[in-house]
Amino acid sequence: MAGVSHATVSRVLNGGRDVSVTARRAVDRALKRTGYTPNHHARQLAGARPDSVGFLNCVDVSQLFADTNINRLWLGCTQALADQGIMLVLPVGAGAARAVDAVLMFSAREADLGDSPLPLVACGTPVGHEGEIAYVTSDDRGGARQMVAYLRESGRRRIATVTGPLDLPSGMLRLAGYRDVVGVVDPGLVVAGDYSYQSGVVAAERLLRQAPDLDAVFVASDLMAVGVIDALTRAGRRVPEDVAVGGFDDAPVARRTWPPLTTVRQAWERIPGELVRQLWRQVDGDGPSGVVLPVELTVRASA
Amino acid sequence: MAGVSHATVSRVLNGGRDVSVTARRAVDRALKRTGYTPNHHARQLAGARPDSVGFLNCVDVSQLFADTNINRLWLGCTQALADQGIMLVLPVGAGAARAVDAVLMFSAREADLGDSPLPLVACGTPVGHEGEIAYVTSDDRGGARQMVAYLRESGRRRIATVTGPLDLPSGMLRLAGYRDVVGVVDPGLVVAGDYSYQSGVVAAERLLRQAPDLDAVFVASDLMAVGVIDALTRAGRRVPEDVAVGGFDDAPVARRTWPPLTTVRQAWERIPGELVRQLWRQVDGDGPSGVVLPVELTVRASA
DNA sequence: TTGTATGCGTTATCAA
DNA sequence: TTGATAACGCATACAA
C-alpha cells in the first residue's frame, strides 16, 4: 500500500517505464518495507514472458555432469539465459517439465517427442517431426559424410563404423552420412554402440572378428573412439598406420588420446545461443523452424 | 466440451470424487480427444497442492551427483515424492527456486536463510532461525559428543579434531559436540577442513606439526577421515595403534578404508521421508518445527 | 451429483 | 503518467 494502484506497482516491477520518479520511489519503499515477493504463478498466468526454462535431458539425469557434451551445453545455456535474467532448471522424471515456463530438450528419441503445451526447442534433429518442433542441431549427416570422405581420400578402402544408439537422431544421421559415401555397405563393417567408452571397446573387438581386414573406423562419438583406439592397440593394430580412426564431437578427450583424435568438431560455443534464440521465437508465436549448424573436420593424428 | 461444466471437469481432474460414472467417462473422453493439458500455473494460483518441489543445494550444483551424502538424499527425496506423484526439480542459481511450488533446502549457511515465500524445509539445523524455519537434521552435536566420549573412554588423551566448514551448521555443531566433552580445548588440536578428501590430508599434516603427540582425531566427515588416515599412514603413524580416527556420516567409503572407519552413522534412510513429511506440515500451514534424528556410533577398526 | 459464482496475483488494455 | 477493469485457467464454497 504505497497509495498507488495495482497497475502502477506492476509497471514498477516490470522495468518502471512510464512511471513518475516519485511514484517509483514510493512503490520501491513499500516493496522493501513489506518484503514483497511477486507470485511466479500469477505472473506466468497473466502472460508474462517465461522466466524459468527447463533443461530436459531425456536420457539420463544422473549422468548429466559426467557427459562432457551435455555438460558443455548445460553451462552454455545457463550462461546464455542468465544474461537475460532467466533461470535454468533441471526437471527430473517424466512430467517434471510442467514446473517450468519453457523447455530445452536434449537427447530426445522419437517417443519423447509429441506436442508440448510449453514453448519447446529440441537440441538435435526431431526426426519425423521436423515441421512441428523447433530445433537446433549440428550437421550430423554432413559431418559424417565429411569424415568418411576424408578417410576414403586418404586411401582407406575397408572403412567400418561404430554407430551411436540408432533410436537417437544423431545416431541415425551419422550412420546415414557414412552410408552416403560408402554406398552399398558390408553389414560386417557396421556395429552399434551407445556412445560410451566401454561400448567402443566392445564394438572394436567385434569389428576385428567380423572384418579383420578393416583399415579405418568412423566412430560416432569421441568417447567411443577412445575405446576403439584402446581395443585396436591391445589387438596389435597401430593407429593410424594399420587402422585410421575418426571420431565425432571434438570432446575434450580428443586432444588427450594417443594419437590425438581426428574428429568432427561441433560448434559447441554457438549451440546454446541458437537454442535460446529459437526458444524466444517460439515464445513469440513464430512457427517452428530448424537451425542446422555447420561442423568442421578437425584433422589430428589418428586418421 | 463434454457437455458438462468447468467444475465437473475440475473434479474429474482432481480424483473424481462426487462425480457420476457417466460424467466422468464423458469428461475423460473429451480430455483425450482434445489433448487437454492442465495449466500448472493456473492450478497453483487457484490453491492446488504443490506438485513440484525444488531440491535446493546451496553449496554446489555441479557436484551434486559426486557428493555421496547429497546424492543419497537426492535419491531418497525423489523416491519419497514420486510415491505421491510429485516431481523433484533441481533449481540452479540464485533465485531459481521461484520456479517451483515448495523447497527442500540443503547445505544452507546463515546467509541462505531468510523467510521464503514458499513452503520450505531445511535439511540441517538452521542455526539462529530454529523457530522460523522448519527443519530435519541428524543430531550433529550429540553424535560428535558420542564419538569423542568413546575416544576418551578408549584411553585416548590428546584428542584432536578436523572440523567441517564452520559457516555450516553441521560444521559448527560437530565442533560444539567435541568441545562438550573435551572441555577446555587446546587450539593446536583443532584444524578446519571443508569436508573434502584433500582438506583431510592437509589438516592431518598440519595437526602432526602442531601437535605431534596426538593420539586420536575426530574428523567431521568420513571423506575427510580417509584423507586423515592416508596422511597419518604416510607420516608413519599406525591407525589405530598410534592414532585413533573417528569419522562422521557413515558414507559408503567408510567400509572400504583400511582400517575400516569407526564413524557416526546418520539415519539416511529416514531423512528424506521426514523432510517430505515436514514439507506437508508446512503446506498445511502448521508452524515451523524441527525434527532431530538420532545418530548411531558405529565402531569398526579405526578407533 | 452437478452447476454457478468467486477469488487466486499479476499483466495488459483502455480511459481518464 | 495514472487508475479502473478485464482477462489468465483453475479450484472450491455454495446453491440447486
Side-chain angles (χ1 to χ4, degrees), chain B residues 43-58:
Chain B
R43 208 166 219 200
Q44 286 307 124
L45 186 57
R49 292 183 73 81
D51 78 340
S52 79
V53 352
F55 185 101
L56 189 58
N57 191 190
C58 301

Side-chain angles (χ1 to χ4, degrees), chain A residues 82-104:
Chain A
D83 290 348
Q84 311 181 27
I86 298 188
M87 301 302 162
L88 191 55
V89 166
L90 191 62
V92 181
R98 69 186 169 208
V100 297
D101 311 325
V103 176
L104 256 23

Side-chain angles (χ1 to χ4, degrees), chain B residues 24-61:
Chain B
R24 165 151 58 238
R25 272 210 307 247
V27 172
D28 279 338
R29 250 181 307 120
L31 253 35
K32 199 149 299 172
R33 188 163 49 73
T34 60
Y36 172 84
T37 308
N39 180 307
H40 180 243
H41 297 300
R43 208 166 219 200
Q44 286 307 124
L45 186 57
R49 292 183 73 81
D51 78 340
S52 79
V53 352
F55 185 101
L56 189 58
N57 191 190
C58 301
V59 173
D60 47 359
V61 200

